[in-house]
Amino acid sequence: DAFYDRISHPALTDVKIDFGTMQTSDVYPKTIADLFVGRPIILTGRFAGSTDTNIRVTGSVADKTNVITIPAGQEEVGTHPGIACVWARKKIEDLTNRNIGGIGEPIASEILQTALKYNLMSDYTAFVAVDSSEKTSGEFGVTVNVPVPVPDGVKYETTVQER
C-alpha cells in the first residue's frame, strides 16, 4: 500500500534539466524519471567550463509547469578518483536498462568497455581475486592450506577428520 501511495502521487513529472552555460556530456540516465517524495533523482555526467551558472529544473505539478532554479555554485570542483567510478556505474546502469529484452551488440560492447576501463562489475565482466602473498614452488601449482574458522555452533572434532 505504501508503495502504491508513493507512486500514485509524483511530486514532479516530465522532468527536464537545463544546465545553463555548463558544457555537459555523457549525462546519465538519459531518460529522467518522475520525482517522488523521498526518492531523489540522481544524475551523473561530465562537464567542462565554469560552474558559475544556474541549473533549471522544469516539470509538471498538477498539470502546471513548475521551474526550479538552482545555482550551480563556484566551489572548487573535486577530482577524487571515485567520482569517475560513480559516473561509470550510472552509465553501465543506464546502458543495461536500455538493453532489456535482448543483447544489443553495440550496447553490450559499450558496457564491457566501460566496465573494464573503470574496473567495475557488469553483466559482461568477471574478476578473479588472487592472493599474491602465498607463492607455490615448482613447475605446477601446489595446494596451499588456508585456515578457516569453524562456524559458530559447529564442533571442530565432529566435522574435521584428523590425518
Side-chain angles (χ1 to χ4, degrees), residues 71-88:
Q74 297 176 336
E75 294 88 25
E76 185 69 27
V77 177
T79 56
H80 189 279
I83 293 172
C85 288
V86 170
W87 169 83

Side-chain angles (χ1 to χ4, degrees), residues 51-105:
T51 60
D52 187 19
T53 188
N54 288 325
I55 298 172
R56 291 172 33 115
V57 179
T58 307
S60 298
V61 178
D63 296 329
K64 293 181 183 175
T65 301
N66 192 10
V67 178
I68 303 166
T69 303
I70 305 166
Q74 297 176 336
E75 294 88 25
E76 185 69 27
V77 177
T79 56
H80 189 279
I83 293 172
C85 288
V86 170
W87 169 83
R89 285 182 200 277
K90 279 295 186 186
K91 178 177 181 176
I92 290 171
E93 178 184 326
D94 186 68
L95 290 169
T96 301
N97 288 341
R98 285 195 275 156
N99 198 31
I100 290 176
I103 296 176
E105 200 58 41

Side-chain angles (χ1 to χ4, degrees), residues 134 144-150:
E134 292 287 331
V144 177
N145 292 324
V146 179
V148 178
V150 178

Side-chain angles (χ1 to χ4, degrees), residues 20-39:
T21 58
M22 275 192 341
Q23 302 164 13
T24 59
S25 63
D26 296 328
V27 177
Y28 297 103
K30 294 288 185 191
T31 304
I32 302 172
D34 292 341
L35 175 66
F36 296 93
V37 174
R39 299 284 182 187

Side-chain angles (χ1 to χ4, degrees), residues 2 4 13 23 32 40-41 50 62 65 72 81-82 93-94 104-106 121-122 128-129 139:
Y4 179 75
T13 61
Q23 302 164 13
I32 302 172
I41 294 174
S50 173
T65 301
E93 178 184 326
D94 186 68
E105 200 58 41
M121 292 294 296
S122 75
V128 177
E139 202 172 304

Side-chain angles (χ1 to χ4, degrees), residues 142-163:
V142 296
T143 301
V144 177
N145 292 324
V146 179
V148 178
V150 178
D152 194 27
V154 176
K155 291 184 179 180
Y156 179 82
E157 302 80 30
T158 59
T159 57
V160 177
Q161 295 178 349
E162 296 292 328
R163 292 183 185 202

